Amino acid sequence: MSWLQDFRDLCPQPDLLQAGRNLPQQPRITHRKCRRGCVGYGSEGLRAASGARGKKAMATDSSLLNSELQLQQQEELQQQEELYQQLLLQTMGQMQTENPDSTVIRPQPGMCVKTVTEPDKQKVFVNICQSNSVPPPPELSREELVELLQSEDPSGYRVPMSLGEPHTEVDNNSQGCTAYDVVINQEFFQMCQKDPLFQQFVILVSLEGLENKYNLELSREWKVLKNRKFLGSVGEQNIRKTSKPVIQELPPQGSSTSAAKRPEFTLLVEPPAGEPEYLIAEIKLPGVPSCRSLVLDVGEDRLVLTARPSLFHLDIFHPFLVDQENSVSQYNKKTQILTVTMPVVSS
């Protein structure tokens, strides 16, 4: 019997152990003393004897308590998520009421592009989504796209898109990263999926759109993920119902060049003495964020530089004939100086 064993543990003397066998089935809860001065099987003994069984019960009760706490926490998180969704819908409804020219859409996943920021190499994912609520761009054949990419100013062709806010996500390596959602027309997206050239074009346009909106610099060494169409969860976006008028009053063609400033520049010859081998032009361009806004044309005896949009314009002739094919340029974003190195053919 369990209570008899507990009694033996409390009072290990032989005579009490023998007396314990003759005790009744239900011990009386009294306080007695044995002949040798040991504490008998009273109320204190019962409490001590039931200690082991009490610990097991407490362990069982604590596990049940932990399960109840986890269920309660899950219910609280679910209630918070439902409240957040309600507040989000109310906010979107107020925005749409205040701005009747806009509407809320939930796009469909398309493809996920992985790249990094420059120069800090922070991981960035671009979710290119699709929706029929976004208007399609003008029709463009593959031959026209090739001509457009080879032209001096391919920015004349516009692709309507909605650029979402950045959101923090976790990649497959459990590392934090930033993701952006770009929404384009669904039919145009399907056409881009069939032709690699159109796919590269829409990725390039998406990266440039994010760079212009959020003042970023993204690497052009991207990777399209094969087994993932979207990183994170598809969110809602607010887009305009009506587009800007097609016909707009434009300034005269000569105004952009005339409004641009002439930058400060220096022409150097290397080596300084003897037969010149290189002609080096150092051009100061304050306010130019990156080289992507620069258009440089090196001729045999002429150098033309334009910093868009209408910041700087330089058109100079120099007294040397240079090798156009082997001329190189480098832009330092810290000093904001463009260095053009031109091999000299003859003077």
Side-chain angles (χ1 to χ4, degrees):
M1 300 176 65
S2 60
W3 65 269
L4 179 59
Q5 181 64 38
D6 295 335
F7 175 79
R8 291 174 181 172
D9 296 336
L10 289 171
C11 190
Q13 287 77 1
D15 52 350
L16 290 181
L17 292 177
Q18 182 66 27
R21 295 191 183 94
N22 300 325
L23 290 175
Q25 295 293 329
Q26 299 296 333
R28 292 180 295 174
I29 309 303
T30 59
H31 184 71
R32 298 180 300 175
K33 291 185 178 179
C34 65
R35 288 178 296 177
R36 297 185 182 181
C38 296
V39 178
Y41 202 87
S43 60
E44 292 85 352
L46 278 175
R47 285 195 296 268
S50 61
R53 291 191 299 272
K55 291 180 180 179
K56 294 181 180 179
M58 290 175 62
T60 305
D61 293 343
S62 62
S63 62
L64 292 175
L65 181 60
N66 291 333
S67 300
E68 292 178 357
L69 288 176
Q70 291 178 359
L71 291 175
Q72 185 178 359
Q73 291 176 355
Q74 292 178 359
E75 291 177 356
E76 292 178 355
L77 291 175
Q78 185 176 0
Q79 292 176 358
Q80 292 177 1
E81 180 66 20
E82 292 176 354
L83 179 60
Y84 170 76
Q85 294 294 337
Q86 292 178 1
L87 293 176
L88 180 62
L89 292 176
Q90 291 177 3
T91 304
M92 290 297 184
Q94 291 177 0
M95 292 175 59
Q96 188 169 353
T97 304
E98 295 174 358
N99 188 5
D101 294 334
S102 64
T103 183
V104 178
I105 65 170
R106 182 179 290 274
Q108 299 179 9
M111 63 178 173
C112 186
V113 181
K114 176 183 176 182
T115 184
V116 295
T117 58
E118 297 289 357
D120 51 355
K121 303 297 181 181
Q122 295 296 321
K123 196 178 299 183
V124 172
F125 291 87
V126 180
N127 299 317
I128 300 181
C129 311
Q130 49 185 326
S131 174
N132 286 326
S133 300
V134 179
E139 292 186 3
L140 186 70
S141 63
R142 198 177 196 280
E143 292 74 15
E144 293 172 339
L145 178 59
V146 173
E147 294 179 1
L148 178 67
L149 296 176
Q150 293 177 352
S151 63
E152 296 181 358
D153 187 15
S155 60
Y157 184 81
R158 300 288 181 177
V159 178
M161 61 178 57
S162 175
L163 304 174
E165 298 291 331
H167 50 95
T168 304
E169 300 295 341
V170 178
D171 61 7
N172 292 334
N173 298 325
S174 300
Q175 299 293 328
C177 60
T178 304
Y180 295 87
D181 301 341
V182 179
V183 188
I184 62 175
N185 179 263
Q186 187 171 17
E187 294 182 1
F188 182 68
F189 175 82
Q190 298 297 334
M191 182 186 69
C192 294
Q193 292 296 94
K194 299 176 182 178
D195 193 325
L197 181 62
F198 273 91
Q199 185 185 70
Q200 294 181 7
F201 172 69
V202 75
I203 294 175
L204 181 62
V205 171
S206 301
L207 296 181
E208 290 183 352
L210 293 173
E211 288 177 335
N212 295 332
K213 183 175 182 179
Y214 297 109
N215 194 21
L216 301 172
E217 186 172 353
L218 301 174
S219 173
R220 293 305 186 261
E221 295 180 1
W222 64 71
K223 178 183 179 181
V224 180
L225 303 185
K226 295 181 179 179
N227 300 324
R228 184 185 289 270
K229 295 183 178 181
F230 197 94
L231 181 66
S233 57
V234 181
E236 296 178 337
Q237 289 198 25
N238 192 24
I239 64 172
R240 284 199 311 262
K241 290 182 180 178
T242 57
S243 59
K244 295 181 180 180
V246 178
I247 302 176
Q248 298 181 0
E249 184 177 355
L250 299 177
Q253 294 182 356
S255 61
S256 60
T257 304
S258 61
K261 299 180 181 179
R262 180 183 175 91
E264 298 181 8
F265 67 95
T266 303
L267 292 178
L268 304 174
V269 177
E270 289 291 340
E275 189 71 18
E277 297 180 3
Y278 294 96
L279 176 64
I280 302 174
E282 295 182 350
I283 308 170
K284 297 181 180 180
L285 301 171
V288 175
S290 67
C291 61
R292 291 190 175 89
S293 60
L294 301 178
V295 179
L296 177 64
D297 186 13
V298 177
E300 291 183 348
D301 60 348
R302 184 181 180 183
L303 187 147
V304 181
L305 173 67
T306 302
R308 297 178 295 183
S310 303
L311 291 177
F312 297 100
H313 182 73
L314 179 64
D315 189 351
I316 58 173
F317 290 87
H318 49 79
F320 298 96
L321 293 179
V322 298
D323 185 357
Q324 303 170 257
E325 300 296 331
N326 295 319
S327 298
V328 295
S329 63
Q330 183 177 10
Y331 183 67
N332 191 324
K333 293 190 294 184
K334 294 183 178 179
T335 61
Q336 296 184 334
I337 295 178
L338 175 67
T339 302
V340 184
T341 304
M342 299 163 282
V344 175
V345 178
S346 63
S347 58

